[in-house]
Short mmCIF file of all heavy atoms in Angstrom, two decimals:
data_model
loop_
_atom_site.label_atom_id
_atom_site.label_comp_id
_atom_site.label_asym_id
_atom_site.label_seq_id
_atom_site.Cartn_x
_atom_site.Cartn_y
_atom_site.Cartn_z
N GLY M 1 28.51 -71.10 63.50
CA GLY M 1 27.40 -71.82 64.11
C GLY M 1 27.23 -71.52 65.60
O GLY M 1 26.36 -72.11 66.26
N LYS M 2 28.04 -70.61 66.14
CA LYS M 2 27.99 -70.33 67.58
C LYS M 2 27.32 -68.98 67.87
O LYS M 2 27.40 -68.48 68.99
CB LYS M 2 29.42 -70.31 68.15
CG LYS M 2 30.24 -71.54 67.85
CD LYS M 2 29.70 -72.77 68.55
CE LYS M 2 30.61 -73.97 68.32
NZ LYS M 2 30.06 -75.21 68.93
N LYS M 3 26.63 -68.40 66.87
CA LYS M 3 26.07 -67.06 67.05
C LYS M 3 25.10 -66.99 68.22
O LYS M 3 25.19 -66.09 69.06
CB LYS M 3 25.39 -66.61 65.76
CG LYS M 3 24.78 -65.21 65.86
CD LYS M 3 24.14 -64.79 64.55
CE LYS M 3 23.51 -63.41 64.69
NZ LYS M 3 22.89 -62.95 63.42
N GLU M 4 24.16 -67.95 68.29
CA GLU M 4 23.15 -67.90 69.34
C GLU M 4 23.78 -68.07 70.72
O GLU M 4 23.41 -67.37 71.67
CB GLU M 4 22.10 -68.99 69.11
CG GLU M 4 21.23 -68.73 67.88
CD GLU M 4 20.14 -69.78 67.73
OE1 GLU M 4 19.99 -70.62 68.64
OE2 GLU M 4 19.46 -69.76 66.69
N GLU M 5 24.76 -68.99 70.81
CA GLU M 5 25.40 -69.22 72.10
C GLU M 5 26.14 -67.97 72.57
O GLU M 5 26.06 -67.59 73.75
CB GLU M 5 26.39 -70.39 71.99
CG GLU M 5 25.73 -71.75 71.79
CD GLU M 5 26.76 -72.85 71.70
OE1 GLU M 5 27.51 -73.03 72.67
OE2 GLU M 5 26.83 -73.52 70.64
N ILE M 6 26.86 -67.36 71.65
CA ILE M 6 27.63 -66.17 72.01
C ILE M 6 26.70 -65.01 72.35
O ILE M 6 26.97 -64.23 73.28
CB ILE M 6 28.60 -65.79 70.87
CG1 ILE M 6 29.68 -66.87 70.73
CG2 ILE M 6 29.24 -64.42 71.11
CD1 ILE M 6 30.63 -66.67 69.58
N THR M 7 25.60 -64.90 71.61
CA THR M 7 24.62 -63.85 71.90
C THR M 7 24.09 -63.99 73.33
O THR M 7 23.98 -63.01 74.09
CB THR M 7 23.45 -63.91 70.91
OG1 THR M 7 23.94 -63.72 69.58
CG2 THR M 7 22.43 -62.81 71.21
N GLU M 8 23.75 -65.23 73.73
CA GLU M 8 23.25 -65.48 75.07
C GLU M 8 24.31 -65.18 76.13
O GLU M 8 24.02 -64.61 77.20
CB GLU M 8 22.78 -66.93 75.20
CG GLU M 8 21.51 -67.25 74.43
CD GLU M 8 20.34 -66.39 74.91
OE1 GLU M 8 20.17 -66.24 76.14
OE2 GLU M 8 19.62 -65.86 74.04
N LEU M 9 25.53 -65.55 75.83
CA LEU M 9 26.62 -65.28 76.78
C LEU M 9 26.83 -63.78 76.97
O LEU M 9 27.08 -63.32 78.09
CB LEU M 9 27.91 -65.95 76.28
CG LEU M 9 27.95 -67.48 76.35
CD1 LEU M 9 29.16 -68.03 75.60
CD2 LEU M 9 27.98 -67.95 77.81
N ARG M 10 26.73 -63.03 75.88
CA ARG M 10 26.90 -61.58 75.98
C ARG M 10 25.76 -60.94 76.76
O ARG M 10 25.97 -59.96 77.49
CB ARG M 10 27.01 -60.96 74.58
CG ARG M 10 28.32 -61.28 73.89
CD ARG M 10 29.51 -60.75 74.64
NE ARG M 10 29.62 -59.30 74.57
CZ ARG M 10 30.31 -58.55 75.41
NH1 ARG M 10 30.95 -59.11 76.41
NH2 ARG M 10 30.35 -57.24 75.26
N LYS M 11 24.55 -61.51 76.61
CA LYS M 11 23.41 -61.00 77.38
C LYS M 11 23.65 -61.18 78.87
O LYS M 11 23.15 -60.40 79.69
CB LYS M 11 22.13 -61.71 76.96
CG LYS M 11 21.59 -61.28 75.59
CD LYS M 11 20.33 -62.04 75.24
CE LYS M 11 19.79 -61.61 73.88
NZ LYS M 11 18.56 -62.36 73.50
N LYS M 12 24.41 -62.23 79.20
CA LYS M 12 24.73 -62.49 80.60
C LYS M 12 25.98 -61.74 81.05
O LYS M 12 26.53 -61.98 82.12
CB LYS M 12 24.93 -63.99 80.81
CG LYS M 12 23.67 -64.81 80.56
CD LYS M 12 23.96 -66.30 80.70
CE LYS M 12 22.72 -67.13 80.39
NZ LYS M 12 22.99 -68.59 80.47
N GLN M 13 26.44 -60.83 80.13
CA GLN M 13 27.60 -59.97 80.39
C GLN M 13 28.90 -60.77 80.59
O GLN M 13 29.77 -60.38 81.36
CB GLN M 13 27.33 -59.08 81.60
CG GLN M 13 26.18 -58.11 81.39
CD GLN M 13 26.01 -57.15 82.54
OE1 GLN M 13 26.38 -57.45 83.68
NE2 GLN M 13 25.48 -55.96 82.27
N ILE M 14 28.99 -61.89 79.85
CA ILE M 14 30.23 -62.65 79.84
C ILE M 14 31.22 -61.95 78.92
O ILE M 14 30.89 -61.59 77.79
CB ILE M 14 30.00 -64.11 79.35
CG1 ILE M 14 28.93 -64.80 80.20
CG2 ILE M 14 31.31 -64.89 79.38
CD1 ILE M 14 29.28 -64.93 81.66
N GLY M 15 32.43 -61.72 79.38
CA GLY M 15 33.43 -60.98 78.61
C GLY M 15 33.92 -61.74 77.38
O GLY M 15 33.81 -62.96 77.30
N LYS M 16 34.47 -61.00 76.42
CA LYS M 16 34.96 -61.59 75.18
C LYS M 16 36.12 -62.55 75.43
O LYS M 16 36.23 -63.59 74.78
CB LYS M 16 35.39 -60.49 74.21
CG LYS M 16 34.24 -59.60 73.76
CD LYS M 16 34.75 -58.46 72.89
CE LYS M 16 33.61 -57.50 72.53
NZ LYS M 16 34.11 -56.35 71.72
N SER M 17 36.99 -62.21 76.36
CA SER M 17 38.12 -63.08 76.68
C SER M 17 37.64 -64.41 77.25
O SER M 17 38.14 -65.48 76.90
CB SER M 17 39.06 -62.40 77.67
OG SER M 17 39.64 -61.25 77.10
N ALA M 18 36.63 -64.34 78.13
CA ALA M 18 36.08 -65.55 78.72
C ALA M 18 35.40 -66.42 77.66
O ALA M 18 35.55 -67.64 77.65
CB ALA M 18 35.08 -65.19 79.82
N ILE M 19 34.69 -65.77 76.74
CA ILE M 19 34.04 -66.51 75.65
C ILE M 19 35.10 -67.18 74.77
O ILE M 19 34.96 -68.33 74.36
CB ILE M 19 33.16 -65.56 74.80
CG1 ILE M 19 31.99 -65.07 75.64
CG2 ILE M 19 32.67 -66.27 73.54
CD1 ILE M 19 31.15 -63.99 74.97
N GLY M 20 36.17 -66.45 74.52
CA GLY M 20 37.25 -67.00 73.72
C GLY M 20 37.83 -68.27 74.34
O GLY M 20 38.10 -69.26 73.65
N ARG M 21 38.00 -68.23 75.67
CA ARG M 21 38.54 -69.41 76.35
C ARG M 21 37.58 -70.59 76.27
O ARG M 21 38.00 -71.74 76.16
CB ARG M 21 38.84 -69.06 77.82
CG ARG M 21 40.06 -68.16 78.00
CD ARG M 21 40.50 -68.11 79.45
NE ARG M 21 39.52 -67.43 80.30
CZ ARG M 21 39.49 -66.12 80.52
NH1 ARG M 21 40.41 -65.34 79.94
NH2 ARG M 21 38.60 -65.58 81.32
N MET M 22 36.29 -70.30 76.30
CA MET M 22 35.29 -71.37 76.20
C MET M 22 35.37 -72.12 74.87
O MET M 22 35.21 -73.34 74.80
CB MET M 22 33.87 -70.79 76.35
CG MET M 22 33.55 -70.28 77.74
SD MET M 22 31.87 -69.57 77.78
CE MET M 22 31.87 -68.85 79.42
N PHE M 23 35.63 -71.35 73.80
CA PHE M 23 35.62 -71.93 72.46
C PHE M 23 37.02 -72.16 71.89
O PHE M 23 37.18 -72.56 70.74
CB PHE M 23 34.81 -71.05 71.51
CG PHE M 23 33.34 -70.98 71.84
CD1 PHE M 23 32.80 -69.85 72.45
CD2 PHE M 23 32.50 -72.05 71.58
CE1 PHE M 23 31.46 -69.78 72.77
CE2 PHE M 23 31.15 -71.99 71.89
CZ PHE M 23 30.62 -70.86 72.50
N GLY M 24 38.04 -71.89 72.69
CA GLY M 24 39.41 -72.16 72.26
C GLY M 24 39.94 -71.19 71.22
O GLY M 24 40.73 -71.56 70.36
N VAL M 25 39.49 -69.92 71.29
CA VAL M 25 39.99 -68.89 70.37
C VAL M 25 40.40 -67.67 71.20
O VAL M 25 40.13 -67.61 72.40
CB VAL M 25 38.91 -68.49 69.33
CG1 VAL M 25 38.53 -69.67 68.45
CG2 VAL M 25 37.67 -67.93 70.03
N ASN M 26 41.03 -66.70 70.54
CA ASN M 26 41.43 -65.52 71.30
C ASN M 26 40.34 -64.44 71.27
O ASN M 26 39.35 -64.54 70.54
CB ASN M 26 42.77 -64.95 70.79
CG ASN M 26 42.68 -64.52 69.34
OD1 ASN M 26 41.72 -63.91 68.90
ND2 ASN M 26 43.72 -64.83 68.57
N ARG M 27 40.57 -63.41 72.05
CA ARG M 27 39.57 -62.35 72.20
C ARG M 27 39.27 -61.65 70.89
O ARG M 27 38.12 -61.30 70.60
CB ARG M 27 40.08 -61.33 73.23
CG ARG M 27 39.11 -60.20 73.51
CD ARG M 27 39.75 -59.13 74.40
NE ARG M 27 38.82 -58.08 74.71
CZ ARG M 27 38.48 -57.11 73.87
NH1 ARG M 27 39.01 -57.08 72.65
NH2 ARG M 27 37.62 -56.17 74.24
N MET M 28 40.31 -61.43 70.07
CA MET M 28 40.12 -60.73 68.80
C MET M 28 39.23 -61.52 67.84
O MET M 28 38.46 -60.95 67.07
CB MET M 28 41.49 -60.45 68.15
CG MET M 28 42.33 -59.45 68.93
SD MET M 28 41.49 -57.88 69.20
CE MET M 28 41.27 -57.33 67.51
N THR M 29 39.36 -62.86 67.88
CA THR M 29 38.50 -63.70 67.03
C THR M 29 37.04 -63.54 67.44
O THR M 29 36.15 -63.43 66.59
CB THR M 29 38.92 -65.18 67.15
OG1 THR M 29 40.29 -65.31 66.74
CG2 THR M 29 38.05 -66.07 66.27
N VAL M 30 36.80 -63.51 68.75
CA VAL M 30 35.44 -63.31 69.25
C VAL M 30 34.93 -61.93 68.83
O VAL M 30 33.79 -61.79 68.37
CB VAL M 30 35.41 -63.44 70.79
CG1 VAL M 30 34.00 -63.10 71.32
CG2 VAL M 30 35.80 -64.84 71.21
N ASP M 31 35.77 -60.92 68.97
CA ASP M 31 35.38 -59.56 68.63
C ASP M 31 35.02 -59.45 67.15
O ASP M 31 33.99 -58.85 66.78
CB ASP M 31 36.54 -58.61 68.96
CG ASP M 31 36.15 -57.15 68.76
OD1 ASP M 31 35.23 -56.68 69.47
OD2 ASP M 31 36.75 -56.49 67.91
N THR M 32 35.86 -60.04 66.27
CA THR M 32 35.59 -60.01 64.83
C THR M 32 34.29 -60.75 64.50
O THR M 32 33.48 -60.28 63.70
CB THR M 32 36.76 -60.64 64.05
OG1 THR M 32 37.96 -59.92 64.34
CG2 THR M 32 36.50 -60.62 62.56
#
């Protein structure tokens, strides 16, 4: 359910590790 939020964050060039910290998961989970 976080696809739109993550898409917007990536458009703002937010890194995968930073996104992971926002949602309480690791970088690999975000990447997958």
Side-chain angles (χ1 to χ4, degrees):
K2 307 293 185 183
K3 180 178 179 179
E4 291 183 7
E5 291 180 60
I6 293 175
T7 300
E8 289 300 315
L9 289 169
R10 288 299 288 160
K11 286 180 180 179
K12 296 176 182 178
Q13 297 185 334
I14 304 298
K16 296 175 184 178
S17 296
I19 294 173
R21 288 193 292 272
M22 291 178 188
F23 295 104
V25 297
N26 61 42
R27 182 187 182 283
M28 293 304 297
T29 300
V30 175
D31 186 63
T32 301

